[in-house]
């Protein structure tokens, strides 16, 4: 999450995205997803490889899909 915040604050983001402010919406989503994954791991409900878990877990896929939509929207959409 910290790396994403540093990325959003970097000057390169201004060149790559029309509306970089929208990327801030990804921060709570990523924090939720990481916290949920950690909680499931601590409860012993993730008994497979984490990458396979993410690719088969519906909640993880939904969160990643929303983050992807936000990134695409931030890249293409100009807020006036």
């Amino acid at each position: 999450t910290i790396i994403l915040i540093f990325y959003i604050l970097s000057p390169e983001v201004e060149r790559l995205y029309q509306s970089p402010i929208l990327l801030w919406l990804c921060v709570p989503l990523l924090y939720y997803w990481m916290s949920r994954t950690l909680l499931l791991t601590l409860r012993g409900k993730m008994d497979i490889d984490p990458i396979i878990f993410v690719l088969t877990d519906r909640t993880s896929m939904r969160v990643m899909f929303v983050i992807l939509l936000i990134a695409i929207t931030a890249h293409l959409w100009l807020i006036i």
Side-chain angles (χ1 to χ4, degrees), residues 1 15 30 39 42-43 46 49-50 65 69 78-79:
T1 308
R15 290 193 328 259
L30 185 60
L39 184 64
L42 293 174
R43 290 182 178 171
M46 186 189 308
D49 185 283
F65 179 73
L69 283 179
L78 181 60
I79 297 178

Side-chain angles (χ1 to χ4, degrees), residues 22-77:
L22 291 176
L23 295 176
W24 285 104
L25 296 172
C26 296
V27 173
L29 288 170
L30 185 60
Y31 183 76
Y32 162 75
W33 175 75
M34 290 174 61
S35 299
R36 180 180 176 276
T37 304
L38 179 62
L39 184 64
L40 290 174
T41 301
L42 293 174
R43 290 182 178 171
K45 295 186 178 181
M46 186 189 308
D47 55 353
I48 56 176
D49 185 283
I51 295 174
I52 294 173
F53 175 79
V54 168
L55 295 175
T56 57
D57 179 52
R58 287 186 177 188
T59 302
S60 296
M61 288 190 289
R62 286 181 186 131
V63 169
M64 295 306 146
F65 179 73
V66 171
I67 288 174
L68 180 64
L69 283 179
I70 291 170
I72 291 170
T73 303
H75 180 69
L76 299 175
W77 188 35

Side-chain angles (χ1 to χ4, degrees), residues 5-23:
I5 291 171
F6 284 141
Y7 175 71
I8 294 170
L9 294 173
S10 71
E12 291 82 24
V13 170
E14 294 290 330
R15 290 193 328 259
L16 296 173
Y17 296 92
Q18 295 286 329
S19 301
I21 196 163
L22 291 176
L23 295 176

